[in-house]
């Protein structure tokens, strides 16, 4: 998103319109990386909070403490009814709850390639996330639109290889989609997902880390495809499942769920966090890029192009593939031949 902000700041139109038409929600367990991203977004607009996009930041891991103890403390306070509902959304085996006890104690440095950590952190921060989403939506609503309901496009950007994005992207996407849909009408979110191959440079000589990242990506791709297929199901289909996510404070009460199972005002598609997905892989047939940062720039360009062409007709949008892919390609420019041709044409 920092690269995306840089593209906006370099565009004469978006440099003045970004504060009115672009809204960002940054979430991470790694506090340092989150601060660096926020600083880069601010720097892209010369440090001006007036010109940059509206920005909400949620530090998912702050206040959690030792993850093993945090999960056990939450679980042990639940009664039988609460545990019964919560067990459908958490990992248990023979009444033993998964607590990630082998991971480093402090999740503020990241989720350690364990998706369950960020999933728990997102549940633990549900109230703060709800406030951030509400602030974002209120800001969109307060911006002048001439009395018209604004056209809202929602894009989710995350890595599938690490623990944080892999573990909580669907929770955040659900919250955003349902809140935005309730206020502004039906939207069709797109997810941008970075595969583990993008980070091959940081996996060298790290066998355990490479294994975890590949498992995360493989299971993550499976989940993305499942959600995209669900979004394609007929609105009237009786087979469409109704997704819900309990509130950790009181998982036994359906009325307090972070994500409500039945939202009568919503289109059926709101039972999926995304409609479309773009997967960013490491290589194509003609080559690949050497650093993760270059893939970040690729995604930023994709976001920028979607923003520049946001007024897509319904017919055209319905023809888009549910799951697409980004990749790198090599184009060789015959510099010497072109230069010789131009010199000859100019009479040199």
């Amino acid at each position: 998103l920092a690269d995306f902000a840089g593209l906006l700041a370099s565009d004469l139109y978006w440099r003045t319109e970004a504060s009115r038409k672009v809204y960002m929600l940054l979430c991470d367990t790694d506090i340092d990386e989150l601060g660096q991203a926020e600083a880069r977004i601010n720097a892209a607009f010369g440090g001006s909070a007036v010109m940059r996009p509206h920005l909400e930041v949620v530090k998912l891991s702050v206040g959690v403490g030792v993850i093993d103890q945090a999960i056990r403390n939450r679980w042990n306070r639940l009664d039988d009814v609460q545990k019964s509902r919560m067990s459908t959304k958490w990992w248990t085996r023979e009444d033993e709850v998964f607590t990630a006890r082998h991971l480093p104690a402090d999740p503020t440095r990241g989720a350690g390639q364990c998706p369950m950590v960020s999933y728990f952190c997102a549940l633990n921060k549900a109230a703060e996330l709800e406030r951030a989403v509400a602030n974002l939506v209120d800001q969109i609503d307060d911006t002048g639109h001439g009395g018209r309901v604004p056209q809202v496009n929602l894009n989710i950007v995350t890595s599938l290889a690490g623990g944080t994005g892999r573990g909580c992207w669907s929770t955040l996407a659900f919250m955003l989609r349902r809140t935005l849909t309730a206020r502004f009408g039906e939207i069709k979110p797109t997810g941008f997902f970075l595969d583990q191959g993008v980070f091959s440079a940081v996996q060298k000589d790290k066998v355990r880390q490479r294994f975890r990242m590949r498992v995360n990506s493989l299971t993550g791709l499976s989940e993305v495809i499942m959600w995209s297929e669900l979004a394609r199901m007929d609105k009237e289909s009786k087979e469409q499942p109704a997704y819900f996510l309990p509130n950790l404070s009181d998982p036994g009460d359906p009325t307090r769920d972070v994500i409500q199972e039945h939202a009568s005002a919503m289109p059926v598609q709101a039972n999926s966090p995304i409609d479309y997905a773009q997967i960013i892989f490491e290589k194509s047939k003609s080559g690949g890029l050497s650093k993760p940062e270059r893939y970040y720039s690729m995604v930023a360009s994709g976001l920028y192009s979607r923003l520049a062409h946001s007024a897509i007709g319904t017919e055209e949008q319905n023809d888009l593939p549910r799951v697409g892919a980004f990749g790198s390609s090599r184009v060789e420019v015959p510099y010497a031949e072109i230069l010789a041709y131009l010199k000859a044409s100019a009479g040199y």
Side-chain angles (χ1 to χ4, degrees), residues 39-198:
R40 286 187 61 197
I41 291 172
N42 287 331
F45 287 85
S48 172
V50 176
M51 296 183 67
R52 68 161 170 75
H54 179 81
L55 187 62
E56 295 286 337
V57 179
V58 178
K59 300 174 181 178
L60 294 174
S61 57
V62 168
V64 172
V66 179
I67 192 71
D68 175 57
Q69 294 177 7
I71 296 174
R72 290 185 186 279
N73 290 341
R74 283 285 191 177
W75 187 263
N76 291 336
R77 289 203 299 264
L78 304 181
D79 60 31
D80 290 341
V81 174
Q82 293 172 329
K83 285 183 178 179
S84 177
R85 270 191 107 231
M86 196 66 220
S87 63
T88 65
K89 303 300 177 183
W90 194 251
W91 295 265
T92 59
R93 183 173 59 186
E94 297 179 355
D95 296 328
E96 177 66 20
V97 61
F98 177 81
T99 62
R101 63 180 180 272
H102 297 301
L103 289 179
D106 188 1
T108 59
R109 300 298 299 274
Q113 281 82 51
C114 183
M116 295 81 155
V117 171
S118 68
Y119 181 78
F120 174 80
C121 289
L123 283 175
N124 190 60
K125 288 278 186 175
E128 185 175 338
L129 283 168
E130 288 174 339
R131 286 194 297 271
V133 171
N135 289 342
L136 204 72
V137 173
D138 287 343
Q139 186 67 26
I140 297 172
D141 216 11
D142 290 343
T143 305
H145 298 287
R148 295 175 288 106
V149 176
Q151 177 185 346
V152 176
N153 296 309
L154 175 59
N155 297 292
I156 310 295
V157 182
T158 187
S159 162
L160 294 177
T164 300
R166 171 69 183 87
C168 69
W169 78 263
S170 58
T171 299
L172 303 179
F174 259 121
M175 296 175 72
L176 282 163
R177 181 175 194 174
R178 289 196 167 180
T179 305
L180 289 167
T181 297
R183 188 76 68 92
F184 305 115
E186 184 179 0
I187 59 175
K188 295 182 179 294
T190 296
F192 291 80
F193 302 97
L194 288 92
D195 177 66
Q196 60 84 27
V198 169

Side-chain angles (χ1 to χ4, degrees), residues 334-348:
Y335 171 79
E337 289 85 349
I338 292 175
L339 184 60
Y341 171 78
L342 293 174
K343 285 184 177 180
S345 299
Y348 286 101

